[in-house]
Amino acid sequence: MDFSGKRVLVTGAGKGIGRATAKMLAARGAEVVAISRSQADLDSLAEEIGARGIAVDLADAEATRRAALEALPADFLVNNAGTTALASFLDLPVEDFDMLYAVNARAPMIVAQEYARDRVKKGLPGAIVNVSSISSWIGFADHTAYCASKGAMDAMTRAMANELGRMGIRVNAVNPTVTLTPMAVKAWSDPAKSDPMMKRIPVGHFADPDEVAEVILFLLSDRASMINGITMPVDGGFMVN
Ligand code: NDP
């Protein structure tokens, strides 16, 4: 897949899946614009692949819209940034629920809205990939807010695909299983939790960030020209077990 001459906006490109995606895109010719939180990550990414970086806290709706407008125009959008906070359902603080919704569901909506407005205004086609999770389908303990935010992202993906697909912009989601990134360390470092999880994955390992990035690039590319509105497991078969 050749992305030469294409400009791709990747959120959460500082670490993990977003960083792997940004690097793979750059290796295949794309110019990357990165939106993320930590300036140090953006600086090192700029050094590595020449990506332009915009630092913002995606929990802030107005700042998110300003950052999106600053980042545009872009040919493609990867809505990857996401966060988690663990709490049992009975102890889940409302503040955590709101924060996860703001970062994992509201921010992707805002960034996609500005991206799509720009494409539609110019009469140009496009593609968006939202990075969701198998958590949208599975009720993992201590993950209520995260599961809810990813369920919202899947539903939003379908509604966006229906509206924006008619304007030449395809919208899809990838739904990875546990992927070896800093976030996974936060959620899955306890072997009592991760071992049974691993046992349910027929291919026998957690995902490497590059294994998710490959699917994101495919869905962005013209090779996926007939794919619109899907939520694609990248889970080594977890969902069939
Ligand atoms: P990481 O925590 O490794 O990286 C997330 C990136 O998003 C970081 O660069 C982070 O910046 C940025 N980010 C997070 N919150 C904000 C915020 N409020 N404002 C701006 N930037 C922010 O996560 P992953 O790479 O693991 O996750 C990427 C996506 O994949 C997420 O949407 C996640 O839900 C999803 N996912 C991850 C799985 C996993 O097991 N790792 C499994 C399934 C889905 P900073 O560090 O500076 O805050």
Side-chain angles (χ1 to χ4, degrees), residues 12-18 36-38 41 56-59 80-83 103 131-133 146 150 176-179 181-184:
K15 297 184 177 75
I17 295 169
S36 205
R37 186 159 46 182
S38 303
D41 288 342
V56 69
D57 182 354
L58 293 166
N80 159 81
T83 192
V103 175
V131 181
S132 181
S133 166
Y146 186 76
K150 293 301 186 180
T177 185
V178 175
T179 307
T181 69
M183 178 188 282

Short mmCIF file of all heavy atoms in Angstrom, two decimals, residues 12-18 36-38 41 56-59 80-83 103 131-133 146 150 176-179 181-184, ligand 1:
data_model
loop_
_atom_site.label_atom_id
_atom_site.label_comp_id
_atom_site.label_asym_id
_atom_site.label_seq_id
_atom_site.Cartn_x
_atom_site.Cartn_y
_atom_site.Cartn_z
N GLY A 12 -3.44 10.41 18.94
CA GLY A 12 -2.79 9.48 19.86
C GLY A 12 -1.56 8.85 19.26
O GLY A 12 -1.21 7.71 19.58
N ALA A 13 -0.88 9.62 18.39
CA ALA A 13 0.27 9.06 17.67
C ALA A 13 1.54 9.04 18.53
O ALA A 13 2.59 8.60 18.06
CB ALA A 13 0.52 9.87 16.39
N GLY A 14 1.44 9.49 19.76
CA GLY A 14 2.63 9.55 20.61
C GLY A 14 3.13 8.20 21.05
O GLY A 14 4.34 7.99 21.20
N LYS A 15 2.22 7.28 21.28
CA LYS A 15 2.61 5.97 21.84
C LYS A 15 1.83 4.86 21.13
O LYS A 15 0.89 5.12 20.38
CB LYS A 15 2.27 5.91 23.34
CG LYS A 15 3.01 6.89 24.20
CD LYS A 15 2.66 6.67 25.69
CE LYS A 15 3.45 7.59 26.62
NZ LYS A 15 2.96 8.99 26.60
N GLY A 16 2.21 3.62 21.43
CA GLY A 16 1.39 2.45 21.13
C GLY A 16 0.95 2.29 19.68
O GLY A 16 1.74 2.46 18.74
N ILE A 17 -0.33 1.96 19.52
CA ILE A 17 -0.89 1.66 18.19
C ILE A 17 -0.80 2.89 17.28
O ILE A 17 -0.49 2.78 16.09
CB ILE A 17 -2.36 1.19 18.32
CG1 ILE A 17 -2.42 -0.14 19.08
CG2 ILE A 17 -3.02 1.07 16.96
CD1 ILE A 17 -3.83 -0.57 19.50
N GLY A 18 -1.06 4.07 17.84
CA GLY A 18 -1.02 5.30 17.04
C GLY A 18 0.37 5.57 16.51
O GLY A 18 0.54 5.95 15.35
N SER A 36 -1.57 14.52 19.76
CA SER A 36 -1.42 13.68 20.95
C SER A 36 -1.25 14.60 22.17
O SER A 36 -1.36 15.81 22.03
CB SER A 36 -0.24 12.72 20.79
OG SER A 36 -0.42 11.58 21.62
N ARG A 37 -1.00 14.00 23.34
CA ARG A 37 -0.97 14.84 24.54
C ARG A 37 0.45 15.25 24.95
O ARG A 37 0.72 16.43 25.15
CB ARG A 37 -1.66 14.12 25.70
CG ARG A 37 -1.79 14.98 26.93
CD ARG A 37 -2.86 14.48 27.86
NE ARG A 37 -2.81 13.05 28.11
CZ ARG A 37 -3.67 12.39 28.86
NH1 ARG A 37 -4.65 13.05 29.45
NH2 ARG A 37 -3.56 11.09 29.03
N SER A 38 1.35 14.27 25.06
CA SER A 38 2.70 14.58 25.57
C SER A 38 3.58 15.18 24.48
O SER A 38 3.83 14.53 23.45
CB SER A 38 3.35 13.31 26.12
OG SER A 38 2.53 12.75 27.11
N ASP A 41 6.64 13.08 23.32
CA ASP A 41 6.37 12.03 22.33
C ASP A 41 6.28 12.62 20.93
O ASP A 41 6.77 12.04 19.96
CB ASP A 41 5.03 11.32 22.65
CG ASP A 41 5.13 10.43 23.87
OD1 ASP A 41 6.25 10.08 24.27
OD2 ASP A 41 4.06 10.10 24.43
N VAL A 56 -2.45 18.41 22.53
CA VAL A 56 -3.76 18.83 23.06
C VAL A 56 -4.28 17.75 24.01
O VAL A 56 -3.93 16.58 23.86
CB VAL A 56 -4.76 19.07 21.90
CG1 VAL A 56 -5.15 17.77 21.22
CG2 VAL A 56 -6.03 19.78 22.39
N ASP A 57 -5.10 18.17 24.96
CA ASP A 57 -5.82 17.20 25.79
C ASP A 57 -7.18 16.97 25.14
O ASP A 57 -8.03 17.88 25.16
CB ASP A 57 -5.96 17.71 27.22
CG ASP A 57 -6.66 16.69 28.10
OD1 ASP A 57 -7.11 15.64 27.58
OD2 ASP A 57 -6.75 16.94 29.32
N LEU A 58 -7.39 15.79 24.61
CA LEU A 58 -8.63 15.50 23.87
C LEU A 58 -9.86 15.41 24.78
O LEU A 58 -10.98 15.27 24.28
CB LEU A 58 -8.47 14.21 23.06
CG LEU A 58 -7.44 14.30 21.91
CD1 LEU A 58 -7.10 12.91 21.38
CD2 LEU A 58 -7.95 15.19 20.78
N ALA A 59 -9.66 15.51 26.09
CA ALA A 59 -10.81 15.57 27.00
C ALA A 59 -11.47 16.94 26.94
O ALA A 59 -12.61 17.12 27.38
CB ALA A 59 -10.37 15.27 28.43
N ASN A 80 -7.38 7.36 16.72
CA ASN A 80 -6.80 6.28 17.53
C ASN A 80 -6.71 6.60 19.02
O ASN A 80 -6.79 5.69 19.84
CB ASN A 80 -5.40 5.95 16.98
CG ASN A 80 -4.55 5.24 18.00
OD1 ASN A 80 -4.66 4.03 18.19
ND2 ASN A 80 -3.70 5.99 18.71
N ALA A 81 -6.56 7.87 19.38
CA ALA A 81 -6.30 8.19 20.79
C ALA A 81 -7.39 7.61 21.68
O ALA A 81 -8.57 7.66 21.35
CB ALA A 81 -6.22 9.70 20.99
N GLY A 82 -6.98 7.05 22.79
CA GLY A 82 -7.96 6.51 23.73
C GLY A 82 -7.29 6.33 25.07
O GLY A 82 -6.06 6.33 25.18
N THR A 83 -8.12 6.21 26.08
CA THR A 83 -7.58 6.07 27.42
C THR A 83 -8.46 5.13 28.23
O THR A 83 -9.56 4.78 27.81
CB THR A 83 -7.47 7.46 28.10
OG1 THR A 83 -6.69 7.35 29.28
CG2 THR A 83 -8.84 8.04 28.43
N VAL A 103 -12.85 11.44 25.90
CA VAL A 103 -11.64 11.14 25.11
C VAL A 103 -11.92 10.06 24.06
O VAL A 103 -11.48 10.18 22.91
CB VAL A 103 -10.49 10.69 26.05
CG1 VAL A 103 -9.27 10.26 25.23
CG2 VAL A 103 -10.13 11.80 27.02
N VAL A 131 -10.31 3.64 16.01
CA VAL A 131 -9.72 2.51 16.73
C VAL A 131 -10.60 2.22 17.96
O VAL A 131 -10.58 2.96 18.95
CB VAL A 131 -8.26 2.77 17.12
CG1 VAL A 131 -7.69 1.56 17.86
CG2 VAL A 131 -7.42 3.06 15.86
N SER A 132 -11.38 1.16 17.83
CA SER A 132 -12.28 0.75 18.90
C SER A 132 -11.61 -0.38 19.69
O SER A 132 -10.39 -0.33 19.92
CB SER A 132 -13.62 0.31 18.29
OG SER A 132 -14.52 -0.06 19.29
N SER A 133 -12.35 -1.41 20.06
CA SER A 133 -11.78 -2.48 20.90
C SER A 133 -12.78 -3.63 20.95
O SER A 133 -13.99 -3.41 20.79
CB SER A 133 -11.57 -1.94 22.32
OG SER A 133 -11.34 -2.99 23.24
N TYR A 146 -14.96 2.08 29.93
CA TYR A 146 -14.22 1.83 28.69
C TYR A 146 -15.10 1.08 27.69
O TYR A 146 -15.20 1.46 26.51
CB TYR A 146 -12.95 1.03 29.02
CG TYR A 146 -12.03 0.81 27.85
CD1 TYR A 146 -11.21 1.85 27.39
CD2 TYR A 146 -11.94 -0.43 27.21
CE1 TYR A 146 -10.35 1.64 26.32
CE2 TYR A 146 -11.09 -0.63 26.15
CZ TYR A 146 -10.28 0.41 25.70
OH TYR A 146 -9.43 0.21 24.65
N LYS A 150 -16.39 2.45 23.99
CA LYS A 150 -16.07 1.78 22.72
C LYS A 150 -17.36 1.30 22.02
O LYS A 150 -17.41 1.26 20.79
CB LYS A 150 -15.10 0.62 22.96
CG LYS A 150 -13.71 1.06 23.42
CD LYS A 150 -13.03 1.98 22.41
CE LYS A 150 -11.59 2.29 22.81
NZ LYS A 150 -10.92 3.19 21.84
N PRO A 176 -9.27 -4.17 18.21
CA PRO A 176 -8.19 -5.07 18.62
C PRO A 176 -8.47 -5.76 19.97
O PRO A 176 -9.23 -5.25 20.80
CB PRO A 176 -6.97 -4.15 18.78
CG PRO A 176 -7.36 -2.82 18.24
CD PRO A 176 -8.86 -2.76 18.31
N THR A 177 -7.83 -6.92 20.14
CA THR A 177 -7.73 -7.54 21.46
C THR A 177 -6.60 -6.85 22.20
O THR A 177 -6.08 -5.82 21.76
CB THR A 177 -7.48 -9.06 21.34
OG1 THR A 177 -7.50 -9.62 22.66
CG2 THR A 177 -6.12 -9.38 20.71
N VAL A 178 -6.18 -7.39 23.33
CA VAL A 178 -5.06 -6.81 24.08
C VAL A 178 -3.87 -6.64 23.13
O VAL A 178 -3.47 -7.58 22.45
CB VAL A 178 -4.65 -7.72 25.26
CG1 VAL A 178 -3.42 -7.16 25.96
CG2 VAL A 178 -5.80 -7.86 26.25
N THR A 179 -3.34 -5.43 23.10
CA THR A 179 -2.23 -5.11 22.20
C THR A 179 -1.08 -4.58 23.06
O THR A 179 -1.31 -3.82 24.01
CB THR A 179 -2.69 -4.03 21.18
OG1 THR A 179 -3.89 -4.50 20.55
CG2 THR A 179 -1.63 -3.78 20.12
N THR A 181 1.07 -2.43 24.32
CA THR A 181 1.34 -0.99 24.36
C THR A 181 1.33 -0.53 25.82
O THR A 181 0.93 -1.30 26.71
CB THR A 181 0.21 -0.21 23.64
OG1 THR A 181 -0.97 -0.31 24.45
CG2 THR A 181 -0.08 -0.74 22.26
N PRO A 182 1.71 0.73 26.09
CA PRO A 182 1.63 1.23 27.47
C PRO A 182 0.23 1.08 28.09
O PRO A 182 0.09 0.82 29.28
CB PRO A 182 2.01 2.70 27.33
CG PRO A 182 2.92 2.74 26.13
CD PRO A 182 2.38 1.69 25.20
N MET A 183 -0.84 1.22 27.27
CA MET A 183 -2.18 1.06 27.83
C MET A 183 -2.41 -0.36 28.34
O MET A 183 -3.03 -0.58 29.39
CB MET A 183 -3.26 1.40 26.80
CG MET A 183 -4.66 1.20 27.37
SD MET A 183 -5.98 1.36 26.18
CE MET A 183 -6.08 3.12 26.03
N ALA A 184 -1.92 -1.34 27.59
CA ALA A 184 -2.12 -2.74 27.98
C ALA A 184 -1.43 -3.04 29.31
O ALA A 184 -1.92 -3.82 30.12
CB ALA A 184 -1.60 -3.66 26.88
P1 NDP B 1 -1.42 4.04 24.65
O1 NDP B 1 -1.82 4.45 26.01
O2 NDP B 1 -0.22 3.21 24.47
O3 NDP B 1 -1.32 5.32 23.69
C1 NDP B 1 -2.43 6.18 23.59
C2 NDP B 1 -2.02 7.46 22.90
O4 NDP B 1 -3.17 8.33 22.92
C3 NDP B 1 -0.90 8.17 23.64
O5 NDP B 1 -0.05 8.81 22.74
C4 NDP B 1 -1.67 9.16 24.50
O6 NDP B 1 -0.93 10.31 24.83
C5 NDP B 1 -2.82 9.53 23.59
N1 NDP B 1 -3.90 10.04 24.42
C6 NDP B 1 -4.55 9.39 25.41
N2 NDP B 1 -5.39 10.21 26.03
C7 NDP B 1 -5.25 11.43 25.43
C8 NDP B 1 -5.83 12.69 25.64
N3 NDP B 1 -6.72 12.92 26.61
N4 NDP B 1 -5.46 13.71 24.83
C9 NDP B 1 -4.56 13.52 23.85
N5 NDP B 1 -3.95 12.35 23.62
C10 NDP B 1 -4.30 11.31 24.41
O7 NDP B 1 -2.70 3.28 24.07
P2 NDP B 1 -2.83 2.19 22.91
O8 NDP B 1 -1.88 2.46 21.82
O9 NDP B 1 -2.85 0.88 23.55
O10 NDP B 1 -4.31 2.51 22.45
C11 NDP B 1 -4.61 3.16 21.22
C12 NDP B 1 -6.08 2.91 20.92
O11 NDP B 1 -6.28 1.51 20.81
C13 NDP B 1 -7.01 3.39 22.03
O12 NDP B 1 -8.17 3.95 21.46
C14 NDP B 1 -7.34 2.12 22.78
O13 NDP B 1 -8.58 2.21 23.43
C15 NDP B 1 -7.35 1.12 21.66
N6 NDP B 1 -7.13 -0.26 22.07
C16 NDP B 1 -6.01 -0.64 22.77
C17 NDP B 1 -5.85 -1.95 23.16
C18 NDP B 1 -4.66 -2.41 23.94
O14 NDP B 1 -4.70 -3.52 24.48
N7 NDP B 1 -3.57 -1.66 24.01
C19 NDP B 1 -6.85 -2.97 22.81
C20 NDP B 1 -7.96 -2.47 22.06
C21 NDP B 1 -8.09 -1.18 21.70
P3 NDP B 1 -0.34 10.46 26.35
O15 NDP B 1 0.36 9.16 26.65
O16 NDP B 1 0.57 11.62 26.22
O17 NDP B 1 -1.52 10.69 27.22
#
